[in-house]
Amino acid sequence: MQNYYAGNPLNRLSYLRSSPSFLASALESPKASFIPLDSLQPLCKNDKDGVRRLLTIKWSDVQEFIGDPKQVFHGVDGKRDEDVPELAILGKEAARLGKSKVGELSPQEKRQYFLNQPALVFLGVDERSAPESAKSLPLSKPDDNSTLESHSPHGEPYWAIDVSSCTELKKQILIKNERAMFMELRSGAQTMPNEEASIAAEARSLVDWNTRNRFCPACARPIRSVWAGWKRSCIPGEPSGEGADAEPACVSRKGVHNFSYPRTDPVVIMAVLSPDRERILLGRQRTWPARFYSCLAGFIESGESLEEAVRREVYEEAGIVIGEVGYHSSQPWPFPSSLMFGCWGIAESADAEKDVRVDLDNELEDARFFTREQVLKVINSTKPMQLSREQIAKIDGQGGPARDELDAAKRKADEQGAFMMPPATAIANTLVTAWATGKLFNQHPASSTNASSKM
Amino acid sequence: MQNYYAGNPLNRLSYLRSSPSFLASALESPKASFIPLDSLQPLCKNDKDGVRRLLTIKWSDVQEFIGDPKQVFHGVDGKRDEDVPELAILGKEAARLGKSKVGELSPQEKRQYFLNQPALVFLGVDERSAPESAKSLPLSKPDDNSTLESHSPHGEPYWAIDVSSCTELKKQILIKNERAMFMELRSGAQTMPNEEASIAAEARSLVDWNTRNRFCPACARPIRSVWAGWKRSCIPGEPSGEGADAEPACVSRKGVHNFSYPRTDPVVIMAVLSPDRERILLGRQRTWPARFYSCLAGFIESGESLEEAVRREVYEEAGIVIGEVGYHSSQPWPFPSSLMFGCWGIAESADAEKDVRVDLDNELEDARFFTREQVLKVINSTKPMQLSREQIAKIDGQGGPARDELDAAKRKADEQGAFMMPPATAIANTLVTAWATGKLFNQHPASSTNASSKM
């Protein structure tokens, strides 16, 4: 089962992110596509059928803002302190400093230079048009001569670039691409073809991570991008934040640690079923649009297994004790960078419907079991669910005032009738629909059972 | 299937982490147990049968180092800027400052106070001895009067406390507990009962996260613990790291963000099978002990589904194209805070054995398919696998020189014979054993199929 935002067609070639020569050739390639993001919103355009499409630009469009490709990735492996790059990426902004090498900057200029350097992320290569034999040719360890041609001759590189602070570049992009707009991925994605949305999701998560993580959480030094956006390291030689005198090496420079790498937050979301599996538990938060119900969900905590997180969340949010738990499918959720693990769980008590209570963690306003008939009625409704930007903000907890009296009245009237569910782009919809149509329980592998694999 | 480090018996009561009155009563309760950790090593002792046991201490042991429970959690919800606690937790250390309120400290003293405040984490309550009816009594939203008694009358609270910098406390603990030692969880865990190891795992991950994240990655301000160790927030009113003049509010104070909460890194680890499912792919890294083989594994990246991460890792590490992928079980791995998703994948090509190549990402020294017979021979070996501290360090990539010539010779001699696998405490062992004994493929739910749940 492939959920929306999954199915990314790019070959990430993750092992080449530390190769300056490969990255430089993938950057300046005429085959390269750049996804510009303004405040995390990718460039989009509606086609003649009203379908939202992801727009990309070329190296020639961004070249003057990035600078010399050879310099951008100098020291990209982040291993040696002396590997400080020449000025790059800031382009015109950096040029204003009137200096071409980082070593020429004053400590304050250097700090500002790295803190304001826009994110540039290598997303992977599109090899879908390559003959099978030409994908990822045999090679030895990436070396000083690695290039796009030597590693992925038919690959079309994809990059994400944060243009939020590049006023001139944004202007040029919008002039050149008539009717194009920077659009929030979440509301825009509902009509965007899945493969484009999945690439945009990767771009959004990585640009977000690079943009919001500017200082080392261990030593407070400004950090800089290495590995083409997939790692961030302390700037060498910067005084630490604890006082100009003290300058201990950051603990992140050795040992097992994890804060240098992009963060992905695992989340459980579950179809909770009555013991006879004929009813499903859905809940709603106080701030959500009227009559909107969805699957229970929550972040997996440190020291919990997937199954334990499902049981804890359902108990804390709805007071229901869960027995058997299973996995259905997963979905990357780029707001900012979660991975949703879609599961099912069977309530243990035959009285589960009476056990529902939302006064433990008070996260939900209401939770209740719905019948298959009620759910199918919503699924088969002729008008597809489209959430407005305002409704999405409410679901994210960013809404303004709680829904008004009118909403409350509507909800009461419809209490036994139709309700709203998340759109097909959300894994909650996948889970509920799979249950309602008898496809929730994976039978793996498709062509075998344990019996046949026993000795 | 419950893996080692899973099965934590504590009820985390996560919704009470922001209640100062509940936390205070759970802290000073005579029923409370404290797990002291020195450099992330929990206090342990071998019992008369040589089984390693987790040791805990009581409130009376730590009281003088923590201070007034009412003050420790003042402002624990982190919502209001003025909610800055009185001096607490540092105990004797803080007393040396000769001041009792944070407001009395100079900016430099305040900064040092928060940066050096030892981690104190509420892990949950043990309610196993409580009658069913007494677990998590009905309640309204936690209020100013919430206590351990009102929310979990039979619960025994568990806390983790970092004693690394409390020399006097460490001395007292070791004098009071004869033959006790602070021991690395990883090597020690191999004989520790699972429930104790799972509590220690939660403690280790959370103390690690609190200890290593000292500055806000968005604004470089020192951060302090709120929510009893489960959230860290910027110290209000601190000048930001960008210059004493500028003092913008941190972006982490509003909107959707994730770096204030403990990080959990999702990892895929997989049993890769030949198309006929009669052989399993295992690999080894150059620095591992001789003849040591394990399942392929790697971090799930932003914008990837679980299944896509399995396919990418197997392709990048061993050149094998995977078709069907399924989930088996999961394991919290507290080094520092991963969650291992144990999966299986079926190689697509009948020639998979010939396709194996490790020259793409060069992460493995060798990868090969083993027969069921070879694997069963290792599993049924009479001597259980025990890794030395040195061998574990090698597996973690912290080892010294590569294995010596002797090892290489040994490996060659045994090439077709026995090899070493991870111990039973590792999910890699779970997966390999499940495959070898015909139990790898989950049939869910246990008592039903899709057919019976179809309408």
Side-chain angles (χ1 to χ4, degrees):
Chain A
M1 175 65 218
Q2 184 182 287
N3 288 292
Y4 198 70
Y5 294 128
N8 188 325
L10 302 184
N11 180 351
R12 297 182 176 214
L13 296 173
S14 70
Y15 45 93
L16 291 168
R17 291 170 189 157
S18 57
S19 166
S21 60
F22 169 80
L23 293 172
S25 74
L27 185 70
E28 62 185 341
S29 166
K31 293 189 290 180
S33 293
F34 294 77
I35 300 171
L37 294 99
D38 181 16
S39 302
L40 302 179
Q41 302 182 333
L43 189 69
C44 300
K45 188 176 181 174
N46 290 340
D47 71 11
K48 58 181 170 46
D49 300 321
V51 176
R52 188 157 299 167
R53 303 300 300 267
L54 187 65
L55 279 193
T56 58
I57 56 179
K58 296 310 231 176
W59 169 243
S60 55
D61 298 319
V62 295
Q63 180 169 13
E64 80 173 298
F65 295 87
I66 291 185
D68 181 359
K70 300 275 180 304
Q71 299 306 332
V72 174
F73 302 109
H74 189 66
V76 76
D77 59 4
K79 278 181 189 152
R80 288 176 302 277
D81 270 7
E82 63 269 31
D83 278 339
V84 177
E86 300 196 18
L87 289 180
I89 299 188
L90 263 191
K92 280 184 175 171
E93 317 284 315
R96 264 189 228 128
L97 293 167
K99 297 167 182 175
S100 69
K101 288 185 195 305
V102 169
E104 297 168 4
L105 302 178
S106 73
Q108 190 59 24
E109 283 173 338
K110 181 174 154 190
R111 194 179 173 88
Q112 289 303 320
Y113 169 70
F114 280 112
L115 285 175
N116 295 321
Q117 201 168 34
L120 177 66
V121 183
F122 175 63
L123 301 174
V125 293
D126 183 351
E127 291 179 329
R128 282 176 293 177
S129 64
E132 195 60 37
S133 63
K135 288 176 187 172
S136 304
L137 291 178
L139 56 108
S140 56
K141 208 158 184 141
D143 61 23
D144 289 351
N145 303 314
S146 298
T147 62
L148 178 64
E149 183 62 32
S150 70
H151 284 72
S152 177
H154 296 266
E156 297 166 15
Y158 271 74
W159 296 83
I161 181 168
D162 178 17
V163 300
S164 305
S165 64
C166 306
T167 316
E168 183 59 30
L169 177 54
K170 272 193 284 191
K171 205 170 113 187
Q172 288 181 16
I173 291 170
L174 293 176
I175 288 172
K176 202 164 170 181
N177 297 277
E178 214 183 324
R179 294 201 323 279
M181 281 188 296
F182 292 100
M183 306 196 77
E184 175 52 52
L185 181 58
R186 187 141 180 203
S187 54
Q190 289 185 46
T191 58
M192 190 185 283
N194 183 37
E195 288 191 341
E196 291 175 16
S198 68
I199 297 174
E202 181 188 359
R204 189 190 193 282
S205 285
L206 266 292
V207 168
D208 176 88
W209 180 75
N210 275 277
T211 304
R212 287 193 298 137
N213 289 273
R214 308 200 303 156
F215 299 94
C216 174
C219 76
R221 286 181 177 87
I223 47 180
R224 69 179 178 111
S225 171
V226 290
W227 292 12
W230 292 88
K231 184 175 180 179
R232 292 181 71 78
S233 287
C234 304
I235 297 184
E238 267 286 305
S240 89
E242 289 184 64
D245 300 337
E247 206 178 316
C250 178
V251 295
S252 73
R253 305 288 281 191
K254 62 172 185 173
V256 179
H257 58 91
N258 60 0
F259 39 55
S260 299
Y261 303 95
R263 173 173 173 152
T264 300
D265 293 300
V267 171
V268 283
I269 181 165
M270 39 270 168
V272 176
L273 308 181
S274 58
D276 66 0
R277 289 155 207 165
E278 287 304 313
R279 285 170 177 248
I280 190 166
L281 180 69
L282 302 174
R284 57 170 277 106
Q285 292 182 19
R286 205 169 297 275
T287 54
W288 287 0
R291 294 177 295 128
F292 186 91
Y293 281 80
S294 186
C295 292
L296 275 53
F299 289 100
I300 305 179
E301 294 192 345
S302 296
E304 271 184 336
S305 70
L306 179 71
E307 294 76 8
E308 287 163 352
V310 168
R311 293 195 181 96
R312 179 183 54 75
E313 283 291 343
V314 176
Y315 184 71
E316 290 186 353
E317 291 191 356
I320 301 290
V321 176
I322 296 295
E324 199 175 2
V325 169
Y327 166 82
H328 179 268
S329 60
S330 60
Q331 178 182 44
W333 191 247
F335 309 101
S337 186
S338 294
L339 178 52
M340 315 288 287
F341 289 91
C343 296
W344 50 261
I346 313 289
E348 282 206 329
S349 162
D351 284 335
E353 314 221 1
K354 289 182 204 145
D355 293 343
V356 176
R357 49 184 290 190
V358 294
D359 63 341
L360 286 167
D361 70 358
N362 288 282
E363 202 171 303
L364 299 178
E365 173 192 57
D366 183 35
R368 63 176 73 178
F369 282 91
F370 291 85
T371 64
R372 200 183 294 269
E373 189 188 8
Q374 285 176 305
V375 169
L376 282 170
K377 191 171 152 193
V378 175
I379 292 172
N380 297 329
S381 160
T382 46
K383 46 171 201 255
M385 245 284 291
Q386 285 284 4
L387 291 176
S388 69
R389 176 180 296 258
E390 189 197 6
Q391 286 175 317
I392 288 172
K394 277 187 177 177
I395 293 166
D396 282 344
Q398 300 171 327
R403 66 178 184 287
D404 59 21
E405 291 301 319
L406 182 65
D407 279 0
K410 265 192 205 157
R411 184 173 55 97
K412 199 165 182 184
D414 287 39
E415 215 154 46
Q416 301 307 319
F419 60 98
M420 290 200 297
M421 281 205 317
T425 48
I427 190 172
N429 185 297
T430 302
L431 292 171
V432 175
T433 303
W435 165 74
T437 56
K439 292 169 190 158
L440 184 61
F441 306 118
N442 290 324
Q443 297 300 331
H444 274 315
S447 54
S448 173
T449 67
N450 278 318
S452 73
S453 69
K454 273 181 192 150
M455 288 173 302
Chain B
M1 175 66 217
Q2 184 182 287
N3 288 292
Y4 199 70
Y5 294 128
N8 189 325
L10 302 184
N11 180 351
R12 297 183 176 214
L13 295 173
S14 71
Y15 45 93
L16 290 169
R17 290 170 190 158
S18 57
S19 166
S21 60
F22 169 80
L23 294 171
S25 73
L27 185 70
E28 62 185 341
S29 166
K31 293 189 291 181
S33 293
F34 294 78
I35 300 172
L37 293 99
D38 182 16
S39 301
L40 302 179
Q41 303 182 332
L43 189 68
C44 299
K45 189 176 181 174
N46 289 340
D47 71 11
K48 58 181 170 45
D49 300 320
V51 176
R52 189 158 298 168
R53 303 299 300 267
L54 188 66
L55 279 192
T56 58
I57 57 178
K58 297 309 231 176
W59 169 242
S60 55
D61 298 319
V62 295
Q63 181 170 13
E64 82 172 298
F65 295 87
I66 291 185
D68 181 359
K70 300 274 180 305
Q71 299 305 331
V72 174
F73 302 109
H74 190 66
V76 76
D77 60 5
K79 278 182 189 151
R80 289 176 301 277
D81 271 7
E82 63 269 31
D83 279 338
V84 177
E86 300 197 17
L87 289 181
I89 300 187
L90 262 191
K92 280 183 175 170
E93 317 284 315
R96 265 190 227 128
L97 293 167
K99 297 167 182 175
S100 68
K101 289 186 194 305
V102 169
E104 297 168 4
L105 302 178
S106 73
Q108 190 59 25
E109 283 172 338
K110 181 174 154 191
R111 194 178 172 88
Q112 289 303 320
Y113 169 70
F114 280 112
L115 286 175
N116 296 320
Q117 202 169 33
L120 177 66
V121 183
F122 175 63
L123 301 174
V125 293
D126 183 351
E127 291 179 328
R128 282 176 292 177
S129 64
E132 195 60 37
S133 63
K135 289 176 186 172
S136 304
L137 290 178
L139 56 108
S140 57
K141 208 158 184 140
D143 61 24
D144 289 351
N145 302 313
S146 298
T147 62
L148 178 63
E149 183 61 32
S150 70
H151 285 72
S152 177
H154 296 267
E156 296 167 14
Y158 272 74
W159 296 84
I161 181 168
D162 178 17
V163 300
S164 305
S165 64
C166 306
T167 316
E168 182 60 29
L169 177 54
K170 271 193 284 190
K171 205 170 114 188
Q172 288 181 16
I173 291 170
L174 293 176
I175 288 172
K176 203 165 170 181
N177 297 277
E178 214 182 323
R179 295 201 321 280
M181 281 187 297
F182 292 100
M183 306 196 78
E184 175 51 53
L185 182 58
R186 186 141 180 204
S187 54
Q190 289 185 46
T191 58
M192 191 185 282
N194 183 38
E195 288 191 341
E196 291 175 15
S198 68
I199 297 173
E202 181 188 359
R204 189 190 193 283
S205 285
L206 265 293
V207 167
D208 176 89
W209 179 74
N210 275 276
T211 304
R212 287 193 298 137
N213 289 273
R214 307 201 304 157
F215 299 94
C216 175
C219 76
R221 286 181 177 87
I223 47 180
R224 69 179 179 110
S225 172
V226 291
W227 293 11
W230 291 88
K231 184 175 180 179
R232 292 181 71 79
S233 287
C234 304
I235 297 183
E238 267 285 305
S240 89
E242 288 184 65
D245 300 337
E247 207 178 315
C250 178
V251 295
S252 73
R253 305 288 281 191
K254 62 173 185 172
V256 179
H257 57 91
N258 61 0
F259 39 55
S260 299
Y261 303 95
R263 173 172 173 152
T264 300
D265 293 300
V267 170
V268 283
I269 181 165
M270 40 269 169
V272 176
L273 308 181
S274 57
D276 66 0
R277 289 155 207 165
E278 287 304 312
R279 287 170 177 247
I280 189 166
L281 179 69
L282 302 175
R284 56 170 278 106
Q285 292 182 20
R286 206 169 297 275
T287 54
W288 287 0
R291 293 178 294 129
F292 186 91
Y293 281 80
S294 186
C295 292
L296 275 53
F299 289 101
I300 304 178
E301 294 192 345
S302 296
E304 271 184 335
S305 70
L306 179 71
E307 294 77 9
E308 287 163 352
V310 168
R311 293 195 181 96
R312 179 183 53 76
E313 283 290 343
V314 176
Y315 184 71
E316 290 186 353
E317 291 191 356
I320 301 290
V321 176
I322 295 295
E324 200 176 1
V325 170
Y327 166 81
H328 180 268
S329 60
S330 60
Q331 177 182 45
W333 191 247
F335 310 101
S337 186
S338 293
L339 178 52
M340 315 287 287
F341 289 91
C343 295
W344 50 261
I346 313 289
E348 282 206 330
S349 163
D351 284 334
E353 314 221 0
K354 290 182 203 145
D355 292 343
V356 175
R357 50 184 289 191
V358 294
D359 63 341
L360 285 167
D361 70 359
N362 288 282
E363 202 170 302
L364 299 178
E365 173 193 57
D366 183 35
R368 63 176 74 179
F369 282 91
F370 291 86
T371 64
R372 201 183 294 269
E373 188 188 9
Q374 285 176 305
V375 168
L376 283 170
K377 191 171 152 193
V378 175
I379 291 172
N380 297 329
S381 160
T382 46
K383 45 172 203 257
M385 245 285 291
Q386 286 284 4
L387 291 175
S388 69
R389 177 180 296 259
E390 189 196 5
Q391 285 175 317
I392 288 172
K394 277 186 178 177
I395 293 167
D396 282 344
Q398 300 171 327
R403 65 176 185 289
D404 58 22
E405 291 302 319
L406 183 64
D407 279 0
K410 266 192 205 157
R411 185 173 55 96
K412 199 165 183 185
D414 288 40
E415 215 154 45
Q416 301 306 320
F419 61 97
M420 290 201 297
M421 281 205 318
T425 49
I427 191 171
N429 185 297
T430 302
L431 292 171
V432 175
T433 303
W435 165 74
T437 57
K439 293 169 188 157
L440 184 61
F441 305 117
N442 290 323
Q443 296 301 331
H444 274 315
S447 53
S448 172
T449 67
N450 277 318
S452 73
S453 69
K454 273 181 192 151
M455 286 173 302

